[in-house]
Amino acid sequence: MTFDEIVQAVQEAPAPIDLWELVLKLVKENGVERLSYHHYGAVPRWGEKAEPRHETVTKSPTETLHIAAYGFPEEWVDKYVEEKLYLIDPIPELAQRIADPFFWKDTASLAKVVGLQSEFLETLDKADIGEGLAIQVFGPGQRDGYFGLGFGDKPRKVTAHEIREVQCVMQLIHIRYCGFVIEELGNRPQLSPREREVLEWIAKGKSK
């Protein structure tokens, strides 16, 4: 599909399940074996015929995380959910802090990864998931998300231009999905002016 055809297909998708099936079609056509989508605060709306495994988990007392996964080993998805590895996974967290997509293997060099996060990367490596690309996406009301595109055991070279094209497509898809569920999402918790002030002082090294 050309970029214009993709844009048209995204905009004309009548329901979330059609949007997800479009995503799967695109990644399969481009040699992507595994796909994950993290949507902060989303509700599962793929429908009964949805192909991916999807889970809704509690990330914090005020934040819910919806995870859709396709192509990952079932035992890895079970482990990720049951052992709450999403709480220590540094890849989606890093994706929310920077503007550019990055390869999973570069996570440790792009962020200060220590303790449990470092252990997670070791666990990921031992699980033999393979290399992948992390793509951050942003939506209305701070409804942000993350796409993980896994290449499996078939490493492939991806050009900077291809990465930007994929980033644009995933951003379009995320915004479209937000449009389907926006009324149910509300806004992510906002900090009060006083809370923001305290965080600013902490960032400046003040303890009191």
Side-chain angles (χ1 to χ4, degrees), residues 20-171:
W20 183 258
E21 289 178 347
L22 173 62
V23 178
L24 292 183
K25 179 178 184 293
L26 292 174
V27 297
K28 290 175 182 178
E29 288 179 350
N30 288 277
V32 175
E33 295 186 3
R34 299 181 175 123
L35 173 71
S36 66
Y37 175 47
H38 293 206
H39 191 131
Y40 303 101
V43 291
R45 285 279 302 277
W46 304 118
E48 293 183 1
K49 64 175 182 175
E51 187 173 351
R53 162 89 175 268
H54 51 78
E55 300 281 350
T56 300
V57 297
T58 301
K59 191 172 183 183
S60 73
T62 59
E63 186 169 50
T64 299
L65 170 64
H66 177 60
I67 304 170
Y70 164 79
F72 287 87
E74 194 69 17
E75 59 270 19
W76 169 254
V77 180
D78 289 339
K79 182 180 182 68
Y80 193 85
V81 173
E82 293 170 6
E83 298 184 17
K84 299 183 179 181
L85 296 183
Y86 50 85
L87 295 177
I88 60 171
D89 183 351
I91 301 176
E93 179 183 312
L94 174 61
Q96 293 301 299
R97 298 206 313 267
I98 64 178
D100 296 321
F102 58 92
F103 291 99
W104 297 342
K105 65 179 176 58
D106 295 329
T107 301
S109 64
L110 293 171
K112 185 177 180 181
V113 178
V114 296
L116 292 176
Q117 289 188 328
S118 180
E119 290 179 15
F120 172 86
L121 292 180
E122 292 177 4
T123 300
L124 180 64
D125 185 58
K126 292 177 181 177
D128 199 26
I129 299 298
E131 178 59 298
L133 183 66
I135 299 178
Q136 54 282 92
V137 288
F138 306 97
Q142 296 184 350
R143 291 297 165 184
D144 303 332
Y146 158 80
F147 280 98
L149 279 63
F151 307 130
D153 58 358
K154 300 177 182 177
R156 52 169 294 184
K157 292 184 178 180
V158 185
T159 68
H161 181 73
E162 288 174 327
I163 290 175
R164 287 305 182 191
E165 283 188 335
V166 173
Q167 184 181 26
C168 289
V169 169
M170 294 305 172
Q171 180 64 54

